[in-house]
Amino acid sequence: MESISLLAIPFFIMAGVFMNHSGITDRLLKLAELMTRRLHGGLAQANVLLSTFMGGLSGSNIADAAMNAKLLVPSMTASGYPKPFSTAVTAASSLVTSTIPPGIALIVYGYVNNVSIGRLFLAGVVPGILMAVCMMLLVSRQCRRLGYQPPRKERVSRREWVSVTRAGIIALLLPVVVIGGIRVGVFTPTEAGAMAVLYALIVGMFVYKEMNVGSVAVATRESLFASVNVLFIIAVASGFARFLTWEHIPQDIAMLLSSQVGSAVAFLLLANVILLMLSMFLEGNAILIVLSPLLAPVAAQFGIDPVHFGIIFILNASIGTITPPLGTVMFTTCSITGVKVPDFIRAIMPYWLLLVGILLIVTFVPAVSMTLPNWIF
């Protein structure tokens, strides 16, 4: 665990928790609702948009799913949405958090495979936005077809627009500060996490004035337990990965795949199938630590950019979190909302198929993930 790169994880978790306690999340929700009120299924659309906003703040899809399940599903139920539908939208939209910086999965993958975390951060932006836009289109189609929450027609005053937007922009500046600071070289990804905590603290205590010493203590305790959950998995998985290396298993698998698979396209298809199947049973960070060192060298042999393969790997691991039988996000959202797993599975299927389609686009159109990092760097 003695790694400067891994220190970014508790920092970004702490920043996300501080966001919730400082009132930033509430203001982002108001901004999302304001932007989607004239769309079919306004609250469901706001759910997706809030996850997209929080992707740059919380860094954890499980934390995002849990927060939205508590925050939005009761309101959606009161507005006439069936609970399985609301839970499915919440779970699926939380996956945007994995790819939009500063996603914890991006930090873990960069640490394990010695890949630039700054480049990974930028590579995840376009796939994350693509996921959000496609989900909002699917939500709109479903709400239009099933008659959920028609668009609101009343006009919003200019004063309300200015007030809500100004409050939301203060929160949305954080990802800009994080990415900009890393790119300019002002600070490393780990130092960016510390700056995110400081930013959330200043906004919460001196701008919104919703945090005090007591709430800082409560938020710090929450951050501690959340960090321990993630770092314990990383510690155990790292030990297992080291054992595999001692036994030369990664090298044997790499030789087997490189000798049996004839092209980069065939390798990528095989890797997607393997990862989608395994992510149904294993926790996402554990898969990243154990499997990515096995597959990344083979990907490099086929000339696949390590940053591009990292985004493919993370998308696979993310989709597994909403896939039965052991999807972590699936169980997190269902336990909070009280929805039965079979009902959740029926509701999530359109979103699962959409996400697999996006995975294939990202896999076979490298420009989707690589254009931004290549341009900026």
Side-chain angles (χ1 to χ4, degrees):
M1 302 308 295
E2 292 182 3
S3 164
I4 294 297
S5 298
L6 286 185
L7 192 58
I9 292 173
F11 276 140
F12 280 118
I13 288 175
M14 193 175 203
V17 174
F18 276 27
M19 296 290 172
N20 293 340
H21 283 269
S22 66
I24 288 176
T25 303
D26 292 334
R27 286 164 175 81
L28 286 175
L29 176 57
K30 287 177 182 175
L31 178 61
E33 288 178 334
L34 196 64
M35 294 172 70
T36 58
R37 61 189 294 152
R38 289 181 172 271
L39 302 176
H40 280 274
L43 262 180
Q45 303 275 20
N47 196 330
V48 179
L49 204 56
L50 181 61
S51 291
T52 309
F53 290 160
M54 289 303 294
L57 306 177
S58 70
S60 166
N61 56 359
I62 294 180
D64 180 50
M67 180 194 71
N68 282 7
K70 294 173 187 172
L71 196 65
L72 273 169
V73 172
S75 302
M76 290 177 71
T77 304
S79 298
Y81 293 93
K83 259 193 181 179
F85 174 83
S86 304
T87 306
V89 171
T90 300
S93 65
S94 73
L95 303 196
V96 177
T97 305
S98 299
T99 57
I100 287 187
I104 288 171
L106 298 167
I107 298 168
V108 174
Y109 187 91
Y111 157 71
V112 171
N113 296 285
N114 198 26
V115 177
S116 165
I117 294 174
R119 288 179 69 89
L120 281 167
F121 276 4
L122 286 167
V125 171
V126 175
I129 292 172
L130 178 64
M131 289 165 67
V133 170
C134 291
M135 274 190 220
M136 290 181 76
L137 290 172
L138 179 56
V139 165
S140 177
R141 183 177 180 277
Q142 285 191 301
C143 291
R144 195 186 298 264
R145 183 169 59 86
L146 299 171
Y148 299 153
Q149 198 181 13
R152 294 167 64 179
K153 301 295 184 183
E154 66 270 21
R155 292 179 63 84
V156 180
S157 68
R158 184 178 176 183
R159 185 176 179 180
E160 186 180 354
W161 263 110
V162 171
S163 171
V164 173
T165 305
R166 185 171 54 196
I169 285 175
I170 291 173
L172 291 174
L173 280 175
L174 176 59
V176 178
V177 171
V178 169
I179 297 293
I182 293 171
R183 173 61 192 96
V184 174
V186 177
F187 37 69
T188 66
T190 302
E191 291 163 350
M195 292 301 297
V197 173
L198 183 62
Y199 185 90
L201 195 60
I202 290 170
V203 170
M205 294 190 77
F206 302 109
V207 180
Y208 296 156
K209 298 181 180 178
E210 292 192 17
M211 289 186 82
N212 52 37
V213 174
S215 59
V216 169
V218 171
T220 303
R221 181 180 172 83
E222 261 184 60
S223 307
L224 172 66
F225 283 111
S227 300
V228 166
N229 285 336
V230 176
L231 293 172
F232 178 76
I233 292 166
I234 291 172
V236 176
S238 296
F240 182 59
R242 186 165 295 186
F243 165 76
L244 294 178
T245 305
W246 286 339
E247 296 298 317
H248 295 281
I249 292 172
Q251 295 90 323
D252 294 342
I253 290 175
M255 286 182 62
L256 178 66
L257 284 174
S258 57
S259 62
Q260 296 297 320
V261 178
S263 68
V265 171
F267 167 74
L268 287 170
L269 282 172
L270 181 62
N272 279 332
V273 170
I274 291 171
L275 291 171
L276 280 175
M277 290 178 64
L278 289 176
S279 63
M280 293 162 58
F281 301 96
L282 298 173
E283 201 276 335
N285 287 315
I287 289 177
L288 282 173
I289 292 168
V290 175
L291 282 181
S292 63
L294 308 184
L295 295 177
V298 186
Q301 287 182 21
F302 284 108
I304 300 165
D305 189 285
V307 174
H308 178 214
F309 189 68
I311 299 300
I312 294 169
F313 202 107
I314 289 165
L315 277 174
N316 274 293
S318 299
I319 292 171
T321 63
I322 59 168
T323 309
L326 298 176
T328 49
V329 169
M330 175 183 74
F331 280 115
T332 298
T333 50
C334 286
S335 64
I336 291 171
T337 62
V339 170
K340 294 179 180 177
V341 171
D343 295 333
F344 173 86
I345 293 170
R346 281 191 291 272
I348 201 71
M349 275 311 295
Y351 297 91
W352 190 89
L353 293 170
L354 173 69
L355 288 165
V356 170
I358 292 170
L359 169 64
L360 293 174
I361 291 170
V362 171
T363 300
F364 296 110
V365 186
V368 173
S369 55
M370 294 307 300
T371 299
L372 198 57
N374 287 342
W375 177 56
I376 297 292
F377 280 90

